Amino acid sequence: MVQVLLWGGGGGGGAGASLATATVAPGGAGGGGGAFFRETYNAADLGATETVTIGARGAAGAPGAAGAAGGAGGIGGNTSFGVYGTAYGGGGGAG
């Protein structure tokens, strides 16, 4: 038996806005957590090797210029185990 546990990459946090004086104002929202996947397989049902892809974290949002809103965070990457399962990445936070 082979137990597979996968976690998708978390989404990046949104950046804070700036006031006209370039002072940082309210912060952006946090990024969403990546999904979780768990499954058990018979070893005989799997190939001799399986491709594993690890999802990267989402990029942080860019800070807002003077008087502008901050940028949204990036989407987290998907993590997968061959063709058998995928844990999707989390969404990026609003800026």
Side-chain angles (χ1 to χ4, degrees):
M1 302 303 283
V2 177
Q3 186 174 36
V4 176
L5 306 171
L6 306 174
W7 286 267
S18 291
L19 302 174
T21 59
T23 302
V24 176
F36 174 70
F37 172 91
R38 176 177 50 201
E39 189 63 64
T40 302
Y41 301 97
N42 289 318
D45 294 338
L46 302 174
T49 61
E50 295 293 343
T51 300
V52 175
T53 302
I54 305 298
R57 63 175 172 80
I75 297 169
N78 299 337
T79 298
S80 62
F81 176 71
V83 298
Y84 300 99
T86 300
Y88 294 96

